[in-house]
Amino acid sequence: MSLFLQQVVNAVALGSVYSLVALGLTLVYGVLHIPNFAHGALYMLGAYATFFLVTAYGVHYVPALAISAAAIALLGIALERVAFRPLEGRSPVHAMIVALGVLLFFQGSAAALWGADFRRLPTPFDGVVSLGGLTITEQRVIVILAAVATMIALHVFLTRTLAGMAIEATAQDREGARVVGIDTRRVAMLTFAISAGLAAVAGSLVAPLVLVSPVMGEVVNLKAFAIIILGGMGSIPGAIVGGYVLALAEVLGGTYVAFAFSDVIGFAILVLVLAIKPTGLFAKGV
Amino acid sequence: MQTRGAHRSLGWLLTTLLLFAACSGQENGHGANPGSDVVNIGYSGPLSGGAAYYGRNVQSGLQMAVDELNEAGGLEIAGRKIRFNLVSLDDQYLPNETATNARRLVQQSRAAVIFVPHAGGVLAVQGMNTRDPFRFLLMAYTSEPRILESANPLTVMIPPRYDHYAGPFVRTTQDRFGKRLGILPTTTTYGRTWTEVVTREWQAQGGTVGRNFGVDYNTTTDFSSVVTQVLAEKPDVLFLGGPSQPTALVVRAAREQGFRGGFLMMDQPKFEEMVTVVSLTELEGSVGVHPQETYPASGVPLFVANFRKRVGPAPVLVSEIALNYQAVHIAARAMALAGTTSDVDAIRARIPEVVSQLPPAIAISDIRHVNELGHIVRQVYGAHVLDGKYVPLPIPLGAEPTDTAR
């Protein structure tokens, strides 16, 4: 039983990161219909930004995380403005190619600028919490709490503020949104900013647990795409639920079904969902 | 508007590509001056992707030796002063890319000596390096003994074989911690064969081995759940190994979940790199390869001083830097003795002679001899972390494959 509970705790921490990354990805897809392959690179850059703020400038981890999120959000705006806006109204294939190019560009730049070293981000939350035989590190507690807080903040923003509702409206119907006077280009920029910021938060949260390197975003990127397909492309609850479902499936499947198949189990669920409900768990009515 | 957008995006794409070309252009050696007295040394290793850190380390060792040779005015070979130039190509750890790169290095750069730092790549090029028109001397930096099986006459195996570590490592950890082994190595081909060797040895010395919980160290984001599983078997010792930094994360996860036993490490993770991620206290009770900077060999202090003078105090000195550095010197001296920079058989034939008379600054490990399969046989040390100190663990050289009649 304690093995089961320990694994659930492990899975929830992992799922929190998955969900945060998938949220940014699904947001951009929902509003702009761009599969942003560069999302994993923004996650990586966010981790690097926090790493340098903490180690080179001595900023405390928490404000460093906020500054990093803001900086990467600005980068997201620049990305939309420079790389994706010129492709407006063209075949989505073009946007996909540009997204891939941006991914390679960021990864290559990071490797050229900072080297291929693995770096470790020190965290002030380095302790271990033990509770009735279960152990969890403080940083994982922070990851879970921060992820949940971010998700709630995003929900409030999208449903309670004018800018958030403009994003929702654009996601539902771009033409219609334009008709009622929403500046969809500003919405596009805002969406990219939020998406990039979420990626940076996820990268910075996970950086003390894993290692910061130019390729750290690759696997997470792949998982995030699986999650948003599972949850329904463009669906926000889908990304959140999908993230936790994938993490639980991987961890518990690996423990109780067959260890060697832990990576396969996640994708088996994906295939199953697609077979029964091809639009994903929380598809929006199209 | 459409065409303008297209032009602009095309412009961006081109800019990106150009920037890339500019970045990757740096791969190609430092100041390749194509004068007639410059000899190219080839290198195909992972310079981008997940293993780039390792590939760059090997490259820096090779480059340091090339720089040293050139700063000394070059080496006199057959009456001419020869300078060297390192030509590096990226293979991203993919064996088929290594084969392509080796062809390019032979044909375009006229390289007679090529360094390859991974078993897959070595096995891939062993099929071609003895046949015209691609004959070259393969300097293999991998501890995988399988590369000796084909008895390739133009292969030199640089590092110690990993199977020699198993016996002493198993004995040390069993004596200190107990007989139950938990298995959590990386799942590369190399990781799997290491696991087989350790499993056999552990059982031969009377221990019990748990299930294999191997995971791919390069693609695993969070080790905590797999560590929970392996610890549920209550092992006394954990068998780990993969690149140093992920291995250190596994160590950390195990300690966080209350594991008090020892760690038996492959020869891939290096203590000096792991301590950048975990503390030596967390590594207490580990056995692995001995750190290079304090390796028990006469030439080490001199080499370390030279290395530090060049790169400063920050970079971690690992064996892949040191041994590849040494191997370039060996190859260059073999050229000098053979009086040729292109006759690969003559160069190979002089290697045993060269290693028996290395000057002190290059004698960074105690080389015994080069055996008939081209393996540079050295006195090898593991290290046992005991009370926060690295205690050297001499590794008996064991039977070479010719003796065991493979």
Side-chain angles (χ1 to χ4, degrees):
Chain A
M1 192 61 195
S2 80
L3 174 66
F4 175 76
L5 288 176
Q6 179 71 54
Q7 291 296 48
V8 169
V9 168
N10 291 337
V12 169
L14 184 64
S16 302
V17 176
Y18 282 178
S19 295
L20 270 189
V21 180
L23 265 179
L25 199 62
T26 208
L27 204 57
V28 165
Y29 187 83
V31 176
L32 299 155
H33 298 278
I34 295 171
N36 187 11
F37 296 114
H39 200 64
L42 296 170
Y43 164 91
M44 177 267 295
L45 290 175
Y48 266 106
T50 308
F51 171 80
F52 284 118
L53 284 167
V54 170
T55 55
Y57 299 100
V59 183
H60 185 270
Y61 175 68
V62 176
L65 190 149
I67 298 170
S68 159
I72 303 300
L74 286 177
L75 183 69
I77 292 176
L79 200 60
E80 195 278 331
R81 192 69 196 75
V82 172
F84 290 106
R85 176 152 331 155
L87 300 175
E88 209 175 67
R90 299 177 67 93
S91 152
V93 176
H94 295 170
M96 279 165 78
I97 295 171
V98 167
L100 270 177
V102 170
L103 169 72
L104 292 174
F105 174 72
F106 282 147
Q107 264 187 20
S109 307
L113 286 174
W114 305 311
D117 315 25
F118 297 85
R119 295 154 192 267
R120 189 190 159 209
L121 174 60
T123 166
F125 311 105
D126 221 5
V128 179
V129 187
S130 287
L131 213 109
L134 299 184
T135 59
I136 182 166
T137 56
E138 284 173 21
Q139 181 66 26
R140 283 192 172 77
V141 176
I142 303 283
V143 166
I144 296 171
L145 294 180
V148 171
T150 311
M151 286 171 204
I152 292 171
L154 183 68
H155 177 77
V156 170
F157 173 75
L158 288 179
T159 52
R160 298 273 190 278
T161 67
L162 206 58
M165 283 189 276
I167 291 182
E168 266 295 321
T170 313
Q172 283 170 9
D173 187 340
R174 204 176 169 83
E175 291 300 311
R178 219 174 281 166
V179 168
V180 297
I182 292 172
D183 183 349
T184 51
R185 290 189 151 182
R186 281 187 59 185
V187 167
M189 274 166 46
L190 187 62
T191 308
F192 257 95
I194 295 172
S195 165
L198 285 171
V201 169
S204 309
L205 280 174
V206 88
L209 298 177
V210 298
L211 296 158
V212 183
S213 79
V215 290
M216 68 182 285
E218 272 180 4
V219 177
V220 177
N221 211 16
L222 192 71
K223 297 264 164 83
F225 270 99
I227 290 163
I228 68 166
I229 294 168
L230 180 71
M233 301 284 279
S235 158
I236 286 171
I240 297 173
V241 174
Y244 287 106
V245 166
L246 184 69
L248 281 165
E250 279 181 4
V251 170
L252 296 180
T255 314
Y256 294 105
V257 184
F259 174 73
F261 296 109
S262 61
D263 276 339
V264 183
I265 285 165
F267 288 95
I269 289 185
L270 184 61
V271 170
L272 207 66
V273 169
L274 289 184
I276 298 165
K277 202 162 179 290
T279 45
L281 291 173
F282 293 82
K284 296 187 165 182
V286 181
Chain B
M1 196 58 208
Q2 284 268 334
T3 44
R4 218 184 115 217
H7 275 290
R8 244 201 273 169
S9 55
L10 193 64
W12 275 103
L13 203 66
L14 283 175
T15 319
T16 315
L17 285 175
L18 280 174
L19 264 167
F20 253 97
C23 294
S24 56
Q26 293 175 345
E27 318 293 35
N28 261 335
H30 293 222
N33 45 31
S36 59
D37 286 352
V38 172
V39 165
N40 284 330
I41 304 242
Y43 169 53
S44 171
L47 299 174
S48 66
Y53 178 69
Y54 168 72
R56 296 275 175 197
N57 270 340
V58 173
Q59 189 187 24
S60 73
L62 301 172
Q63 188 65 50
M64 176 175 165
V66 165
D67 290 346
E68 267 186 17
L69 288 165
N70 291 343
E71 282 158 23
L75 209 59
E76 189 158 318
I77 301 177
R80 282 169 33 201
K81 275 281 184 195
I82 301 289
R83 288 171 164 276
F84 294 90
N85 175 49
L86 182 67
V87 184
S88 306
L89 295 177
D90 184 11
D91 64 20
Q92 302 203 338
Y93 229 93
L94 302 171
N96 57 325
E97 291 293 321
T98 316
T100 312
N101 286 347
R103 282 205 175 83
R104 278 181 61 193
L105 289 166
V106 173
Q107 288 196 314
Q108 295 175 353
S109 311
R110 306 248 157 264
V113 176
I114 297 177
F115 284 79
V116 176
H118 49 103
V122 168
L123 292 168
V125 297
Q126 276 184 329
M128 56 185 261
N129 76 323
T130 54
R131 265 180 266 155
D132 284 323
F134 294 114
R135 287 170 65 81
F136 61 87
L137 180 59
L138 172 61
M139 300 295 279
Y141 188 81
T142 167
S143 60
E144 173 61 65
R146 279 194 302 152
I147 68 159
L148 298 173
E149 280 175 11
S150 60
N152 185 298
L154 288 175
T155 297
V156 173
M157 178 177 176
I158 303 166
R161 305 161 54 109
Y162 66 67
D163 46 357
H164 291 170
Y165 291 112
F169 282 11
V170 166
R171 198 166 312 117
T172 309
T173 47
Q174 280 197 3
D175 285 353
R176 183 164 170 195
F177 294 101
K179 297 279 187 188
R180 295 169 63 89
L181 183 68
I183 300 211
L184 179 47
T186 188
T187 48
T188 54
T189 321
Y190 157 88
R192 278 199 289 269
T193 39
W194 235 112
T195 308
E196 283 164 24
V197 169
V198 159
T199 304
R200 259 200 314 271
E201 185 64 35
W202 190 270
Q203 287 165 339
Q205 296 196 24
T208 55
V209 175
R211 272 168 71 198
N212 185 345
F213 286 103
V215 288
D216 186 337
Y217 276 33
N218 285 322
T219 59
T220 302
T221 331
D222 187 353
F223 289 100
S224 55
S225 68
V226 60
V227 166
T228 304
Q229 286 187 65
V230 75
L231 292 187
E233 294 189 333
K234 308 260 177 260
D236 301 312
V237 177
L238 279 184
F239 171 58
L240 310 179
S244 305
Q245 295 82 356
T247 306
L249 289 180
V250 181
V251 168
R252 166 117 62 83
R255 292 297 188 220
E256 278 167 1
Q257 295 186 23
F259 178 64
R260 303 240 170 278
F263 298 104
L264 197 166
M265 310 270 188
M266 293 179 188
D267 62 338
Q268 187 180 13
K270 306 292 185 313
F271 284 127
E272 56 269 52
E273 286 177 336
M274 285 190 278
V275 293
T276 62
V277 178
V278 291
S279 67
L280 203 53
T281 326
E282 287 167 286
L283 285 165
E284 179 65 30
S286 303
V287 292
V289 290
H290 198 284
Q292 183 61 45
E293 198 140 357
T294 51
Y295 210 83
S298 59
V300 167
L302 194 52
F303 169 71
V304 170
N306 280 341
F307 177 78
R308 290 292 163 220
K309 208 156 57 191
R310 243 163 231 283
V311 302
V316 179
L317 173 59
V318 282
S319 54
E320 49 257 34
I321 298 178
L323 297 187
N324 282 295
Y325 158 86
Q326 184 190 47
V328 170
H329 276 289
I330 291 174
R333 275 155 204 274
M335 286 181 182
L337 270 183
T340 170
T341 57
S342 56
D343 182 347
V344 290
D345 300 284
I347 299 169
R348 168 67 185 83
R350 295 293 188 154
I351 291 210
E353 206 177 327
V354 170
V355 299
S356 65
Q357 43 184 301
L358 284 181
I362 305 168
I364 41 186
S365 68
D366 187 2
I367 298 183
R368 294 300 168 80
H369 61 280
V370 178
N371 72 11
E372 58 273 44
L373 296 175
H375 184 207
I376 301 180
V377 180
R378 315 159 185 271
Q379 175 55 55
V380 184
Y381 293 92
H384 177 198
V385 181
L386 189 65
D387 301 328
K389 289 202 185 65
Y390 299 114
V391 178
L393 199 64
I395 308 292
L397 294 177
E400 286 290 310
T402 42
D403 309 331
T404 54
R406 289 203 176 224

